[in-house]
């Protein structure tokens, strides 16, 4: 399984902290949004409204970054700390 | 939630306030009073007179935050010759005027201390997983990322800062 | 020997040590916690292991020193939007590790705080009438001015920093 | 009269803190060194060894900066504070 976490505005819009996805559907970070939309069609509008950032195992990822079984993945808006 | 990189470095994410005086003392001791220290402190601003920010709520991604800050410290050390680095960032709900973040660098030379402290703040703003929500009288709003913050990091990457 | 420019600014030349904690507090209060504070502190370095600096003697031109520092403050305020500025510079004999100079700026935005603090240090180094004499085991030596310090100021004047 | 002050290495090399010069001999800052050399020939070597900086009334001056009766002028090496 792949653990998917949501943060900040995205967490609020989906009203969800995290979900699990079967590992076989997700090969790279760019697969996440389409797989999530298939799993939760009512999230389509929010997930496709902006290019959310993705991290894989707590490191910023590109859409081509590989995702493996057991990984922790997160989706979130651009960061605004400091 | 404390992590050390080089023994001289301190990266800390915390709910409580921090003491600039204590961190200044720690940095000078860790670095052996090497010549130049630059400190940056960011505080919560009211922003607007008509609909002022009353408080700021800082969310973060705990498992990732210190990891990402430590990688910025490693990158700063690869660019400049630095004696000690401190990054402290608060999370949770902060009132106007409260301290949010401290970045401090000690180096033998002032140019390197200034450049590396600015680099750490610029990259922290666009790469460390913190999110700000403003609580104003009229409601609560997530802060939007600023394009000039991304531009600043692009300039560092291209060697133009 | 204390002079104020804007009410928020403090320019001070003194023999005694200064407290970073107290000056941080004063600056934040004077500026009304406006968002970004940058502090620079310079300390006496040993420089060499074989013939280390034991102490630094700082001579100045008393009638001119604060006047020249105040003119740098005025120039910084003309370049950036700043809320409060502090410059403290010590004179007399200072041991290795002791604090020499403090430059601190508060601004609404971090870029302006970083730039103006660096500008003040760069221009202070080449325009304020201080002279350093190093006391080493082998003797006492006047410190030579560094060409790169003049180059830094030239870059500010040309808008390249 | 014009008050001339010396600082740092120059003060040590001349072994002198300050002297007074008659105002009529000095019109601009660039006149100072030649006038001083005439008044104190044994200072010639030190005064002509380097381009010393000049201030007029506590402000950095160029060689063309005017000097008037009652002014305070200073000669010193490049500054090294900070």
């Amino acid at each position: 399984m792949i653990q998917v976490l949501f943060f900040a505005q995205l967490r609020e819009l989906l009203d969800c902290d995290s979900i699990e996805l079967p590992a076989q559907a997700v090969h790279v970070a760019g697969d996440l949004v389409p797989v999530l939309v298939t799993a939760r069609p009512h999230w389509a509008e929010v997930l496709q409204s902006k290019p959310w950032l993705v991290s894989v195992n707590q490191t910023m990822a590109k859409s081509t970054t590989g995702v493996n079984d057991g990984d922790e993945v997160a989706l979130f808006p651009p960061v605004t700390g400091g | 939630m404390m992590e050390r990189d080089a023994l001289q470095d301190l990266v800390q994410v915390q709910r409580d306030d921090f003491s600039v005086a204590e961190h200044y003392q720690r940095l000078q001791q860790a670095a052996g009073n090497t010549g130049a220290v630059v400190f940056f402190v960011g505080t919560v601003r009211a922003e607007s007179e008509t609909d002022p920010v009353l408080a700021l709520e800082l969310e973060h991604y705990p498992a990732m935050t210190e990891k990402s800050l430590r990688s910025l410290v490693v990158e700063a050390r690869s660019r400049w010759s630095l004696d000690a680095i401190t990054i402290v960032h608060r999370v949770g709900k902060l009132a106007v005027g409260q301290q949010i973040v401290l970045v401090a660098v000690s180096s033998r030379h002032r140019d390197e201390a200034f450049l590396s402290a600015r680099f750490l703040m610029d990259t922290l703003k666009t790469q460390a997983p913190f999110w700000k929500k403003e609580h104003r009288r009229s409601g609560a709003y997530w802060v939007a990322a600023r394009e000039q913050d991304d531009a600043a990091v692009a300039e560092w990457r291209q060697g133009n800062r």
Side-chain angles (χ1 to χ4, degrees), chain A, chain B:
Chain A
M1 300 297 273
I2 291 162
Q3 176 89 352
V4 184
L5 311 179
F6 305 109
F7 288 97
Q9 192 178 17
L10 182 57
R11 177 181 51 71
E12 283 189 353
L13 289 168
L14 300 180
D15 198 16
C16 177
D17 289 359
S18 74
I19 64 163
E20 292 202 325
L21 286 179
Q24 53 273 30
V26 183
H27 303 287
V28 291
D31 297 337
L32 272 171
V33 167
V35 170
L36 284 168
V37 167
T38 306
R40 308 280 162 104
H42 60 292
W43 284 0
E45 197 184 336
V46 167
L47 287 170
Q48 291 163 352
S49 63
K50 292 186 197 177
W52 304 100
L53 301 184
V54 183
S55 67
V56 176
N57 294 329
Q58 302 91 41
T59 300
M60 289 287 192
K62 298 177 188 173
S63 59
T64 55
T65 303
V67 178
N68 298 303
D69 194 11
D71 282 353
E72 179 179 287
V73 168
L75 277 166
F76 44 76
V79 302
T80 56
Chain B
M1 295 230 279
M2 184 180 298
E3 284 281 348
R4 285 166 193 283
D5 304 281
L7 277 174
Q8 296 76 16
D9 299 336
L10 176 67
V11 171
Q12 221 165 306
V13 178
Q14 61 188 46
R15 300 188 76 82
D16 294 337
D17 197 10
F18 53 81
S19 158
V20 167
E22 283 172 24
H23 281 289
Y24 175 66
Q25 207 165 19
R26 188 208 75 81
L27 191 86
Q28 287 283 33
Q29 280 168 1
N33 301 317
T34 50
V37 169
V38 170
F39 256 69
F40 175 91
V41 180
T43 57
V44 182
R45 287 185 302 185
E47 297 283 0
S48 149
E49 284 189 17
T50 51
D51 188 22
V53 172
L54 306 172
L56 208 58
E57 204 178 321
L58 267 146
E59 179 171 335
H60 74 133
Y61 177 1
M64 181 173 169
T65 318
E66 289 182 5
K67 188 174 174 178
S68 76
L69 295 177
R70 283 196 303 277
S71 78
L72 300 182
V73 166
V74 168
E75 191 177 346
R77 282 194 169 277
S78 76
R79 286 171 171 255
W80 297 282
S81 170
L82 308 175
D83 290 301
I85 299 173
T86 300
I87 302 180
V88 181
H89 203 298
R90 292 177 69 192
V91 292
K93 202 162 183 176
L94 309 178
V96 164
Q98 285 210 278
Q99 301 179 140
I100 304 171
V101 60
L102 166 72
V103 163
V105 181
S106 174
S107 173
R108 294 189 70 241
H109 300 291
R110 73 179 188 286
D111 282 347
E112 303 192 59
F114 272 119
L115 289 169
S116 57
R118 196 173 178 210
F119 169 83
L120 286 168
M121 274 308 300
D122 283 352
T123 50
L124 182 159
K125 285 234 168 209
T126 59
Q127 290 173 51
F130 294 101
W131 299 274
K132 285 186 186 131
K133 191 179 196 175
E134 293 173 349
H135 291 266
R136 298 180 187 254
R137 204 162 300 150
S138 63
Y141 310 94
W142 289 99
V143 173
R146 301 188 323 155
E147 276 177 31
Q148 63 256 54
D149 287 336
D150 284 324
V153 172
E155 280 185 43
W156 284 110
R157 301 277 176 246
Q158 289 155 19
N160 296 334
R161 267 212 176 183

